[in-house]
Amino acid sequence: AFSPDGKTLASAGRDWTVKLWDLTCEPPLEKGTLRGHEDFVRSATFSHDGLTLASASDDMAVKLWNVETMEEKGTLKAHTGSVLAVAFSPDGKTLASAGRDWTVKLWDLTCEPPLEKGTLRGHEDFVRSATFSHDGLTLASASDDMAVKLWNVETMEEKGSLTGTIASWQRLDAPTKEVAALAQKGKPGGGNMTQTGPYIVTANSDMVYVYEATSGGEEPLACFRSPVSVGAVSCRGTSVVVGCSDGQVLLLEAPLLALNLG
């Protein structure tokens, strides 16, 4: 995971550690090692202000670290299986952790120590990832049960279920935001655009799907077939970047992602 300012890289490994790398040096230098987990570390992610790192491990724990001092800030334990992914909300007040116990847990980071806010249940297999929309109001969780579930973060209720095992919210780039501003001109609130786009892109096997972010499980607006299985997707503006299992990276241009931005 890259820090928000791009100066630090965090790598998580089977040696039970997370290593931090200084990317301002050439070649990059190891800044230090975060030790404390008792099994493989599956993932690591920075908070949006870059001050805190969260790590997820097969020891069924999430650890929070002070990036500057590299000291452990706390351990979150509630999962009954490996924790596979973690994600900070945009405001940094909530952390989501996804695990092999088929659940996503939400943690209140405004408390000391952080408190478990609740558990999102509904998946029928390992939950591989969780990601907040850019306004922080919705969480998307992706599972081996071939479903991407959308959750209301405040009420913790399920809003809908889409096809896919991975997901990416549309992030509005400058050109797409210009289209959005034109579409909103003259409407109440017009011009007050955020980074949130109205679409979410998912993938399952060799298929890529485009849904409206407000979808409750309706049919996708569009779909694309990849030459091989898809391992990752990212949506920015009207472009969808697809990472394939054979190492190919595909760039799909989807003009429909500029529609309905008003």
Side-chain angles (χ1 to χ4, degrees):
F2 289 95
S3 62
D5 63 8
K7 296 180 179 179
T8 303
L9 178 74
S11 58
R14 292 190 173 187
D15 59 0
W16 304 8
T17 73
V18 177
K19 291 186 178 294
L20 298 182
W21 302 86
D22 185 347
L23 301 183
T24 66
C25 300
E26 185 58 48
L29 294 179
E30 182 183 342
K31 298 172 67 174
T33 301
L34 309 182
R35 306 180 188 276
H37 281 295
E38 299 176 355
D39 210 329
F40 298 166
V41 185
R42 294 290 179 176
S43 67
T45 188
F46 288 91
S47 59
H48 292 270
D49 60 11
L51 301 179
T52 303
L53 183 89
S55 55
S57 170
D58 281 354
D59 63 8
M60 300 186 289
V62 174
K63 287 186 178 291
L64 300 175
W65 309 86
N66 182 308
V67 174
E68 184 176 354
T69 65
M70 291 185 283
E71 295 178 348
E72 183 180 325
K73 298 173 62 176
T75 299
L76 313 180
K77 299 198 78 167
H79 284 279
T80 57
S82 300
V83 188
L84 302 178
V86 282
F88 287 94
S89 62
D91 63 8
K93 296 180 179 179
T94 303
L95 183 79
S97 57
R100 284 186 172 174
D101 57 3
W102 302 9
T103 72
V104 176
K105 292 187 179 291
L106 297 182
W107 303 87
D108 186 347
L109 301 183
T110 66
C111 301
E112 187 57 49
L115 294 179
E116 182 185 347
K117 297 172 67 173
T119 302
L120 310 182
R121 305 181 188 276
H123 282 295
E124 299 177 356
D125 209 331
F126 299 165
V127 186
R128 296 284 181 181
S129 69
T131 179
F132 287 91
S133 60
H134 303 298
D135 58 12
L137 300 179
T138 304
L139 182 86
S141 59
S143 167
D144 284 355
D145 63 7
M146 296 186 291
V148 172
K149 290 187 178 293
L150 304 180
W151 308 87
N152 182 307
V153 173
E154 183 176 355
T155 65
M156 291 185 282
E157 296 178 347
E158 183 180 329
K159 298 171 61 176
S161 185
L162 316 175
T163 298
T165 55
I166 51 179
S168 173
W169 296 97
Q170 181 191 29
R171 186 171 181 82
L172 297 184
D173 55 11
T176 316
K177 288 178 72 174
E178 288 180 9
V179 175
L182 289 173
Q184 288 191 338
K185 191 174 182 180
K187 295 183 179 180
N192 297 323
M193 291 298 298
T194 67
Q195 294 298 316
T196 305
Y199 300 104
I200 182 170
V201 177
T202 70
N204 178 47
S205 185
D206 62 347
M207 293 300 298
V208 178
Y209 304 92
V210 178
Y211 292 92
E212 287 190 280
T214 56
S215 175
E218 296 85 354
E219 290 296 310
L221 298 175
C223 57
F224 311 89
R225 186 178 297 276
S226 166
V228 293
S229 294
V230 176
V233 292
S234 178
C235 179
R236 183 180 291 270
T238 61
S239 300
V240 179
V241 180
V242 179
C244 302
S245 58
D246 65 353
Q248 292 187 73
V249 176
L250 306 178
L251 179 63
L252 305 175
E253 284 296 332
L256 69 87
L257 292 174
L259 302 178
N260 301 321
L261 291 176

